[in-house]
Amino acid sequence: MTEPATPYRARKNTPPESRDALRARIPGWGVDLDPKDRPSFPREQPGIETGAHWDFPDRQPEAQPRERSIEHAMLPPVFGTSAPLKGASGAIRRYAYRRYSEGRAAHWLLLIGADRVDAWESHLKSLATLRPDNPVTETGIGSEFSGNGFKSRAGKRVDVNHSWMDPAIVAGPWVLAGLGAVAVVRALRGSR
């Protein structure tokens, strides 16, 4: 009995299967090996003159260190600079890129956590401005009481599965932040 072909075995097939064997075993395997069988044929023109005047394009200067995957030795020639890393969220993102490969769940979980930290950094920063965040209007909670929003939750909306937890997700952090602020004020008053 032959072993089942699967890419999940620790040992690789040695020697690898020939193209003819793969083509015989897997319907459609290698259909584009011959350029004449590609959908772009005959419009595809390999070796066409692109007009590029460089072998390696000029690189954008890196004025501030940018996060980069550990899989890559360098940044691409052009990269974004409109949202530089900042604060605690930036430190978390730098750690995720410096420590973990993009193939690790820890990398992405840290980035998701950094997004949440960034959101709260922005909320706190808005409190120092003349126009702080307004969770009532910005979360859209007012639409639940107008335009048939609340009633439609009992109908055919696609998001009814998680509607029971929406109030806790939307209002929960604000309530916890408020309770935390009250606790801090009480602690400061009690220490006097």
Side-chain angles (χ1 to χ4, degrees):
M1 179 177 174
T2 59
E3 293 182 61
T6 174
Y8 302 113
R9 290 185 309 204
R11 289 184 300 108
K12 301 292 182 193
N13 289 331
T14 52
E17 289 184 82
S18 68
R19 289 180 175 179
D20 292 334
L22 287 170
R23 187 174 286 129
R25 184 170 58 81
I26 305 170
W29 186 93
V31 293
D32 58 350
L33 285 179
D34 185 354
K36 291 179 182 175
D37 292 335
R38 295 177 184 167
S40 57
F41 184 83
R43 297 180 66 92
E44 183 181 15
Q45 300 176 22
I48 189 173
E49 192 62 39
T50 63
H53 60 279
W54 63 81
D55 290 328
F56 188 81
D58 294 337
R59 298 181 57 76
Q60 176 181 348
E62 187 177 354
Q64 294 180 342
R66 289 294 312 193
E67 64 279 10
R68 69 190 72 183
S69 170
I70 60 176
E71 286 94 0
H72 302 286
M74 64 180 78
L75 287 172
V78 179
F79 49 89
T81 58
S82 62
L85 301 183
K86 62 184 183 335
S89 62
I92 295 170
R93 288 186 176 115
R94 283 189 201 94
Y95 180 76
Y97 278 100
R98 187 178 61 242
R99 179 70 175 85
Y100 295 104
S101 160
E102 291 178 358
R104 301 274 309 271
H107 175 86
W108 299 106
L109 290 173
L110 282 169
L111 292 181
I112 291 170
D115 283 346
R116 297 296 83 215
V117 170
D118 189 22
W120 274 101
E121 286 175 337
S122 298
H123 293 319
L124 294 174
K125 185 178 175 183
S126 78
L127 293 176
T129 65
L130 296 177
R131 298 189 59 163
D133 290 345
N134 183 345
V136 174
T137 59
E138 292 174 2
T139 58
I141 193 74
S143 66
E144 294 291 337
F145 305 103
S146 64
N148 207 19
F150 189 73
K151 187 178 177 183
S152 69
R153 288 193 178 273
K156 294 184 176 181
R157 286 175 53 161
V158 295
D159 59 347
V160 293
N161 289 340
H162 62 79
S163 62
W164 62 272
M165 64 175 114
D166 287 347
I169 292 173
V170 173
W174 291 100
V175 171
L176 290 175
L179 292 174
V182 169
V184 168
V185 169
R186 283 186 177 175
L188 291 175
R189 284 185 177 174
S191 64
R192 289 183 182 173

